[in-house]
Amino acid sequence: MTSSALDVLAIGNAIVDVLSRAEEDVLARHGMVKGGMALIDEARAEQVYAAMGPGTEASGGSAANTAAGIASLGGRAGFVGRVKADTLGTVFGHDIRAAGVAYATTAATDGPATARCLILVTPDGERTMNTYLGAAQHLTTADIHAGEVESAAVTYLEGYLWDPPPAKNAFLAAAQIAHGAGRKVALTLSDAFCVDRYRGEFVDLIRGGTVDLVFCNEGELKSLYETADFDAAIVALRRDAKEAVVTRSEKGASFVTSGAVVSVPAHPVAKVVDTTGAGDLFAAGFLTGYTRGLDPATSLRLGALAAGEIIGQMGARPQRPLLDLAREAGLLS
């Protein structure tokens, strides 16, 4: 790729994660769909928070987690996302900068509070998310700075950002700026429920060339093409997308183009502790390799390594440098 100041500029919801362990009956009592993500209002956020056991707080948000993962792998990452000038907003800004990510979005002084995601982790490591988007929904085109987008080899957009119309406009403005500068645009589909809401629009973004590289898991892919047949969905994806990465948990992952499919196995994991951030960190690993010009198989292995590391711990931010692990595995120098 041509020279750039940033490898990846990630744009998404700036969220503080609150994680707590929970038995499955807690999910049932509160009408939660295990493994899913539900958008909730402030009243529901207070109700869920009251039902949670002791927890930990850490800056999160899908695209922000990807940016932090890229930085942990030695890459140059930036993030754009809106918080309020409140306690959680301060926590978010501190954490993401401490992770080595460039972050300069101005905090709002009025309006809703900083977003938070209440994550209940069941004994099998599966995470169920309840997200109050708050200030994150108020990202606008004013938060998109042309110089920042033009400086990044890849602008990475979070599918969750497609919910609020002003953020959707910001998303499209960033894509236009990136392509105008000869850069690439990536999109993560984020969640099968998100795909259900915006299936037609996501397909249009992919077919129309607004998006150059798509990230999705098996469930999201099947939802996109409304089929239970994985192979049929891959055929459709190869027809529509320039490039795509599809993750399948323990079945590994694939890089998909019209001409070929390259697959690698999942990285071995001793014990699944918490699946929060697995897809985010897979994207971080893949994009690190991709922006360095590594071959698709090596980039996929970097993704698998990062995802495998993150599901062996609580939380979606690496607790030890991923670059060290990648070097030990012979994937990065």
Side-chain angles (χ1 to χ4, degrees):
M1 291 190 178
T2 56
S3 177
S4 59
L6 292 175
D7 297 317
V8 177
L9 177 66
I11 303 177
N13 289 319
I15 299 174
V16 176
D17 289 340
V18 181
L19 295 99
S20 176
R21 295 195 177 278
E23 297 298 325
E24 297 204 15
D25 65 323
V26 174
L27 306 185
R29 283 203 309 273
H30 292 276
M32 299 176 192
V33 177
K34 182 180 175 182
M37 192 288 291
L39 293 174
I40 59 176
D41 60 19
E42 192 166 2
R44 172 70 167 165
E46 291 176 359
Q47 179 188 45
V48 172
Y49 185 73
M52 295 173 71
T56 58
E57 292 182 354
S59 293
S62 176
N65 291 337
T66 296
I70 291 166
S72 185
L73 282 160
R76 300 162 301 168
F79 177 71
V80 175
R82 177 62 72 94
V83 298
K84 189 177 183 182
D86 55 18
T87 300
L88 288 182
T90 301
V91 168
F92 181 90
H94 172 271
D95 282 4
I96 198 163
R97 293 187 186 104
V101 177
Y103 177 60
T105 308
T106 303
T109 55
D110 56 11
T114 296
R116 73 286 313 265
C117 183
L118 308 175
I119 304 173
L120 287 81
V121 182
T122 42
D124 60 358
E126 186 63 84
R127 86 287 182 272
T128 301
M129 300 183 292
N130 300 271
T131 305
Y132 167 60
L133 288 173
Q137 295 185 91
H138 292 259
L139 187 80
T140 71
T141 53
D143 298 307
I144 304 299
H145 301 293
E148 193 174 19
V149 176
E150 291 167 350
S151 76
V154 175
T155 293
Y156 177 82
L157 303 165
E158 179 182 314
Y160 290 133
L161 200 64
W162 203 248
D163 275 300
K168 182 183 295 190
N169 292 334
F171 180 130
L172 294 171
Q176 184 175 24
I177 293 166
H179 283 151
R183 305 302 195 181
K184 290 197 173 184
V185 175
L187 167 70
T188 173
L189 297 186
S190 295
D191 186 284
F193 298 103
C194 187
V195 177
D196 286 342
R197 291 194 296 278
Y198 301 111
R199 180 177 296 107
E201 293 172 69
F202 283 167
V203 170
D204 287 345
L205 290 172
I206 296 165
R207 288 179 180 167
T210 299
V211 171
D212 304 297
L213 173 62
V214 182
F215 287 86
C216 59
N217 63 28
E218 182 173 354
E220 292 155 5
L221 177 62
K222 289 177 177 177
S223 175
L224 187 68
Y225 291 109
E226 297 182 277
T227 178
D229 186 331
F230 176 75
D231 292 333
I234 287 290
V235 169
L237 184 65
R238 293 180 68 182
R239 178 195 65 219
D240 290 345
K242 295 177 183 177
E243 298 177 323
V245 174
V246 182
T247 59
R248 304 186 73 191
S249 299
E250 71 279 359
K251 297 177 184 177
S254 299
F255 177 69
V256 177
T257 65
S258 61
V261 176
V262 177
S263 300
V264 303
H267 190 78
V269 178
K271 181 184 179 182
V272 176
V273 175
D274 172 18
T275 58
T276 306
D280 305 336
L281 271 292
F282 193 101
F286 182 87
L287 286 168
T288 297
Y290 184 82
T291 55
R292 295 187 185 195
L294 302 184
D295 63 272
T298 302
S299 298
L300 288 169
R301 290 189 183 97
L302 274 169
L305 175 75
E309 173 67 12
I310 215 67
I311 65 176
Q313 62 165 66
M314 281 289 285
R317 298 286 173 88
Q319 294 174 1
R320 53 179 174 166
L322 294 177
L323 180 57
D324 292 348
L325 299 180
R327 285 171 170 164
E328 290 169 12
L331 298 174
L332 291 176
S333 58

